[in-house]
Amino acid sequence: MEVKHIQRNDKGAFKVFDGEAVAGVLEYEITTSEVLTALHTEVNPAYEGKGLGAMLFHALIDFVKEKELKIRPLCPFVKARLNKDTSLHYLIAS
């Protein structure tokens, strides 16, 4: 499995590939110079339970830290992961 980052202007996604097949995706939009809005996370049902959501989430966290952004978690999955890990609360946009 490989995570690839795709970005066009202010919109982007992290995608997990199994060979050529897209196994999961986390979509986002950079809504201000300081805030990234996590829009949607989806894992192909054939790949559920294999930790792909976590792979996508960690790719997002690494990207946000690198770019010094905050996250507005509209995506329920990203919101739940952020709320669960108190060490990441500083990344949540107010």
Side-chain angles (χ1 to χ4, degrees):
M1 300 285 180
E2 179 183 11
V3 177
K4 293 185 181 178
H5 182 212
I6 298 145
Q7 186 174 0
R8 290 188 185 96
N9 300 320
D10 292 338
K11 295 185 181 192
F14 295 95
K15 294 184 178 185
V16 178
F17 287 87
D18 181 10
E20 297 295 318
V22 176
V25 63
L26 188 157
E27 298 173 333
Y28 70 84
E29 181 175 7
I30 298 175
T31 47
T32 73
S33 62
E34 300 172 352
V35 177
L36 176 148
T37 301
L39 300 171
H40 177 70
T41 304
E42 185 173 350
V43 173
N44 181 316
Y47 294 93
E48 287 180 359
K50 298 181 189 247
L52 301 189
M55 289 174 66
L56 292 165
F57 179 77
H58 291 296
L60 173 71
I61 295 302
D62 290 345
F63 178 74
V64 166
K65 287 179 178 179
E66 177 186 324
K67 300 295 183 185
E68 299 181 356
L69 298 168
K70 300 286 185 184
I71 301 172
R72 179 173 294 119
L74 294 185
C75 168
F77 175 76
V78 172
K79 184 175 186 173
R81 292 292 300 246
L82 283 171
N83 286 337
K84 186 176 180 178
D85 188 342
T86 57
S87 72
L88 297 176
H89 284 185
Y90 76 98
L91 292 174
I92 300 172
S94 52

